[in-house]
Structures are given as structure tokens and as C-alpha cells.
Amino acid sequence: MCSIYFLVLVILLPCCFEILSLSCSTAMKETLRYLAGIAGPSGYGSKTTADQVVRSSSSSPHHHLTAIITGATSGIGAETARVLAKRGVRLVIPARDWKKAVALKEGIEKENPKAEIILFDIDLSSLASVKRFCTQFLALGLPLNILINNAGIFSQNLEFSEDKIEMTFATNYIGHYLLTEMLIEKMVETAEQTGIHGRIINLSSVIHSWVKRECFTFTQMLNPNKYNATRAYAQSKLANILHAKEISRQLKAKNAKVTINAVHPGIVKTGIIRAHKGFITDSLFFIASKLLKSTSQGASTSCYVALSTQAQELSGKYFADCNECICSALANDESGARRLWTQTRALISRRLQYQIPTPS
């Protein structure tokens, strides 16, 4: 029974973390706003679905756009892919599980026979695999308008990638860093040729706020002495925000028509089986169900930042519930963002024996 209570608390805590840090009156207002799905300045709120966002993003389909989405074979990523394809976006899906990727493609094509979907193999925890995918994609000569760095894992135990990097950090942050670095010039080029702003979206989480400055040490994140799964996940999500902040600074410096932002999708409903019955257990699950989002609601913020005209020129921001939000002080540390970017670049050069092209 205790394990069930603990599981529900793990679900509830990230949802409540920001609310608990507010004053009582503000916390009450924010709680009511979230539960009721009251719209924010963007016109959307916690109950908004991806379909609603995309339908409102433009009066015409987006047949001229090409998007790469990682982690698209399940959950939020799959819903993001489905909704974007529905609006005519050409999809490029790099996936580790080929059977799931094929099933996703067939499912989308069944709903939308005109959908254009290209599949590739990738293992985001492997630098060589990421490099190979980027080389293969660029060889196609396709434009690239949208890059959604959606994939993520939560490794319960300490594991290492083939590059000897802690698995959660390797998959959630390092792999997406290399992916972005190798594709960003194609996005800048596409934006210049088409006049359409390119958009990069990094999936983060409200749990990034849990990271303490003294724990955010690059060498320890690569090879932790004492592994804690939740801390490793939170650190990777903080790194994703800092990555967005630094790349945004670089893009603005050269007046590129490409933006990059980080999003918190919310805590999405999972298939939890209630093995224990009882008033207290049922009450906890009832409370959790009111705070958790559906998959479509979870995908809404990624779709909003990827397609909405309201977000077209916003860069280096953090979004939740389709609205710009405040992230932690550590996530706003410009010097820390620059240092992390530099350390990661040097690491990749050493491990892959590959010099990432310097942005022009």
C-alpha cells in the first residue's frame, strides 16, 4: 500500500511544485486556473489539446513545412507527429524501435493517406548514430523548418551509453545537442530561402527547478558518484533549457530567422493499474487525475511553439500550457549556459573524434 501512495505522490509533486513556491493567494489562483483550464495570454490553457492549437495556428495547411521529431513512436511525440501530419507537415521520424516507427507511419497514413513520412534509424544515446542520421538526412537535400527534440528517458538504474556517458544525460541532452548542432545550418539556410522562421523545440520539465547549483557539475552528470534517477532526469531537463538559451543567443547574434525554445508538456496520464482499492487510495488517484493531462493536452505546447504565429519570433523562452512561463534562476544563468555549451562541444569532439562545424 505504501508503494502506491509513494507512486501517486511522485506524480503529484511535479504538478504542485511551482504552486507551492507561490504565496497562498497566488497559489490558490494558479491552482484554480490550472484545474479549470483557464486560458492564459496566448488564449490557451492546461486543457487545450494539440488539435485545437494546430487548427487555430493557420487558416491553411502547412504543406510547405518539414519537421523532424525525435521520440515520436509513443506518447507526446506520437501525438505531435499525428497532429502535424494532419495539417500537411512532412514528417521525418528518426527512431530506435523500427517496428514502432512503422506502426506509427501506418497509423498516420490510415488517418491521412496524403501524409508524407520518412523513417530513419537512430539511437540518441549514441553520438555515432546521431551523426549518421544527420548525414543521411542532409543527403536528401530536403528543407528543414521544425526540429522537435522530444525524446527522453528516465533510467531507474545507473547505466552508461557506448560513449561512456550516463544514459539519461546522454539521451535527453547530449544526443539532442549534437542533433541540433549538425542540423542548425540547414534550418538557417531554409529560413533564408523561404522567409519562414525555423523553430527548434527542446522538451524540458518543471522538475528542472529541483536542481541545486552545487549539484549541476558537468563531470558528475557524465559519470555520477552517487546515482539518483530523479536528479539525473531533472539535470538533463535543466540542460535542455540552458541549451535553448545559449543557442538562442547565438542565433540572435547573427540575425538568423530561427528560434529555439524549451517547453514543459505537463505531467501526462499513464496507465497506472490500481491494484489496491480503498477510500484513501481512490481519493489520491482522483486528485492525481485532475492534475494529469491527456496525451493530446501534453502535446499542445510543443505544437503551439512549433506552429503558432504568436510564437513565431519568440526565442530563448520557456513555455508551459501554451504560455510563456518563468523558469528557475539556474536555468536563466547565461554564463552557465555558455559554459555548458562549450563543455559539451569539447566532449563530443573528444568522444566522437569529430569537429562540429563552426556556425557561419
Side-chain angles (χ1 to χ4, degrees):
M1 180 70 75
C2 291
S3 62
I4 292 294
Y5 294 154
F6 177 75
L7 180 58
V8 176
L9 286 174
V10 168
I11 294 170
L12 290 174
L13 281 173
C15 302
C16 301
F17 184 76
E18 289 180 318
I19 293 174
L20 292 173
S21 65
L22 304 172
S23 64
C24 290
S25 60
T26 303
M28 181 62 71
K29 290 179 182 178
E30 290 302 315
T31 301
L32 293 174
R33 177 182 291 276
Y34 181 87
L35 292 175
I38 297 172
S42 70
Y44 303 113
S46 62
K47 303 300 183 185
T48 300
T49 66
D51 274 308
Q52 290 172 326
V53 167
V54 173
R55 279 200 302 269
S56 303
S57 66
S58 174
S59 58
S60 59
H62 300 82
H63 294 295
H64 52 287
L65 300 180
T66 299
I68 292 177
I69 308 173
T70 67
T73 57
S74 64
I76 295 171
E79 177 66 4
T80 302
R82 184 191 71 82
V83 172
L84 263 58
K86 196 174 178 180
R87 293 299 294 173
V89 178
R90 178 198 287 128
L91 300 180
V92 177
I93 307 295
R96 184 173 58 176
D97 190 321
W98 190 256
K99 288 185 178 179
K100 285 186 177 180
V102 171
L104 172 78
K105 184 174 186 288
E106 291 175 347
I108 292 176
E109 289 175 339
K110 185 176 181 180
E111 180 181 357
N112 179 16
K114 294 183 179 180
E116 185 177 354
I117 306 169
I118 305 170
L119 304 180
F120 285 95
D121 280 310
I122 196 172
D123 177 357
L124 276 164
S125 73
S126 164
L127 294 173
S129 179
V130 173
K131 180 175 178 287
R132 182 167 55 252
F133 160 71
C134 291
T135 301
Q136 292 171 341
F137 169 75
L138 292 172
L140 295 179
L142 293 173
L144 182 57
N145 307 95
I146 301 168
L147 172 60
I148 303 180
N149 293 321
N150 170 83
I153 65 167
F154 184 98
S155 183
Q156 293 281 1
N157 302 308
L158 178 59
E159 299 177 75
F160 291 94
S161 70
E162 65 181 43
D163 302 296
K164 298 180 174 58
I165 301 169
E166 189 278 311
M167 190 63 77
T168 298
F169 198 60
T171 304
N172 297 2
Y173 167 65
I174 300 287
H176 285 127
Y177 176 104
L178 179 58
L179 187 73
T180 303
E181 288 294 319
M182 292 193 67
L183 297 176
I184 199 164
E185 285 306 305
K186 168 57 70 174
M187 296 192 73
V188 172
E189 175 188 302
T190 300
E192 289 175 348
Q193 293 174 349
T194 63
I196 301 170
H197 277 76
R199 309 194 197 192
I200 305 169
I201 295 95
N202 282 359
L203 268 286
S204 183
S205 170
V206 67
I207 204 174
H208 82 271
S209 301
W210 294 19
V211 180
K212 297 179 180 179
R213 187 177 295 274
E214 60 269 22
C215 295
F216 197 71
T217 306
F218 192 66
T219 54
Q220 278 298 303
M221 290 187 288
L222 297 178
N223 185 9
N225 289 330
K226 295 182 179 179
Y227 183 71
N228 178 287
T230 302
R231 181 173 59 212
Y233 182 78
Q235 288 170 335
S236 72
K237 293 305 179 179
L238 172 59
N240 286 345
I241 300 179
L242 291 169
H243 177 234
K245 297 278 186 181
E246 173 58 21
I247 296 300
S248 175
R249 185 193 67 77
Q250 294 179 17
L251 290 167
K252 287 177 182 177
K254 61 180 184 179
N255 296 314
K257 289 184 178 180
V258 177
T259 63
I260 178 168
N261 294 286
V263 305
H264 166 53
I267 311 301
V268 179
K269 291 177 184 177
T270 55
I272 300 172
I273 299 175
R274 289 190 285 175
H276 300 273
K277 298 291 183 179
F279 175 75
I280 296 177
T281 304
D282 288 346
S283 298
L284 286 172
F285 274 96
F286 175 78
I287 295 170
S289 71
K290 299 304 177 184
L291 290 171
L292 302 186
K293 289 186 174 187
S294 68
T295 303
S296 187
Q297 290 168 345
S300 64
T301 305
S302 294
C303 291
Y304 172 78
V305 178
L307 293 179
S308 173
T309 54
Q310 297 179 63
Q312 180 173 284
E313 296 185 14
L314 296 177
S315 191
K317 308 298 183 183
Y318 173 68
F319 290 83
D321 299 331
C322 303
N323 286 276
E324 185 181 339
C325 293
I326 297 173
C327 53
S328 70
L330 191 53
N332 278 315
D333 184 346
E334 292 184 5
S335 62
R338 177 66 178 175
R339 182 168 57 253
L340 179 64
W341 182 87
T342 303
Q343 290 174 317
T344 308
R345 190 180 182 86
L347 171 74
I348 291 173
S349 295
R350 292 195 305 270
R351 298 291 167 87
L352 199 56
Q353 295 185 338
Y354 168 74
Q355 190 63 42
I356 302 172
T358 302
S360 58

